[in-house]
Amino acid sequence: MTSRGRVLLSALVVLAGSLGLLYAQAQKKPAIAYPLGYRNWIHVKSMVIFSKENKLFDRFGGLHNVYVNQIGWKALRLGSTFPDGAIFVFDLYDVRTYQGAIEARGRKFLAVMKKNSKLYPDTGGWGFEVFPGDQDKGSLKDMKACFNCHSAQKRRDFVYSEFAE
Ligand code: HEC
């Protein structure tokens, strides 16, 4: 190869490398932070999913509490579209039945939805994340798996929970 050819080739390699980096950065979205203090937010509702009769049993069996932050709370009350910054937490515990009671026994995971319409246009403007057990680091690989189901709630801006008065 001539030296001109070599220079051209290395220029191409550098260009391809930087394009790749740019692409990777464009794909990478900031992680959704652990929702610190969510137990002081507004409690929306609770539910126990205890048998296979419920189609969510395999994935979400147990006792869950749903919480919403102040930004989301206003929209939930008014039934309006959620503004950026709205956060929902789905806090799931394992259960055991004991002497006629159903008790919560250890956290399975925290599932979080955070509204940011600019960051998450492909999933209805919501970012989804899962924090297993008591970990504060998210582990979700693909938000689409969450959105595929939540998309059925389009008329309520992709949220299922209704406030239990
Ligand atoms: C197969 C359907 C399905 C899938 C998949 C699913 N969800 Fe949900 N999700 C629900 C239902 C139903 C509720 C409402 C539960 C209730 O009424 O107590 C819910 C509630 C929630 C809530 C509380 C806000 C709301 O919409 O009610 C959050 C947060 C949440 N899910 C996050 C996630 C995350 C994160 C994932 C992906 C890891 C996920 N969900 C996957 C069905 C699903």
Side-chain angles (χ1 to χ4, degrees):
M1 197 186 286
T2 63
S3 64
R4 237 186 98 191
R6 231 176 277 132
V7 168
L8 199 66
L9 186 69
S10 31
L12 275 176
V13 168
V14 169
L15 185 70
S18 3
L19 281 179
L21 196 70
L22 273 179
Y23 182 71
Q25 275 167 355
Q27 293 289 301
K28 201 165 172 246
K29 299 185 169 162
I32 291 174
Y34 184 86
L36 276 177
Y38 73 89
R39 293 283 291 261
N40 295 320
W41 296 358
I42 286 144
H43 172 243
V44 179
K45 63 168 297 192
S46 301
M47 188 193 275
V48 179
I49 300 179
F50 63 89
S51 98
K52 281 196 186 293
E53 235 175 281
N54 187 297
K55 65 179 177 5
L56 300 178
F57 180 73
D58 287 337
R59 274 175 285 187
F60 306 120
L63 179 156
H64 67 253
N65 300 308
V66 176
Y67 301 87
V68 66
N69 68 356
Q70 282 296 335
I71 300 175
W73 167 238
K74 285 189 197 125
L76 186 67
R77 284 248 82 159
L78 298 169
S80 55
T81 303
F82 291 92
D84 285 358
I87 307 177
F88 279 91
V89 168
F90 176 101
D91 191 4
L92 178 66
Y93 293 84
D94 214 347
V95 286
R96 72 159 185 182
T97 48
Y98 182 66
Q99 296 186 334
I102 298 178
E103 276 188 307
R105 296 291 285 181
R107 178 167 290 104
K108 286 180 139 182
F109 61 75
L110 267 195
V112 173
M113 284 168 69
K114 181 175 184 181
K115 189 80 179 273
N116 186 328
S117 27
K118 272 163 229 86
L119 270 185
Y120 310 109
D122 304 340
T123 45
W126 291 95
F128 293 82
E129 186 55 279
V130 175
F131 301 88
D134 293 318
Q135 292 176 34
D136 59 2
K137 271 218 162 61
S139 71
L140 187 68
K141 296 274 179 309
D142 187 9
M143 293 189 189
K144 286 271 166 65
C146 312
F147 185 64
N148 282 347
C149 187
H150 276 256
S151 60
Q153 285 297 100
K154 189 166 192 312
R155 61 175 186 91
R156 291 195 63 237
D157 200 12
F158 308 106
V159 167
Y160 274 104
S161 300
E162 291 183 44
F163 184 67
E165 299 285 349

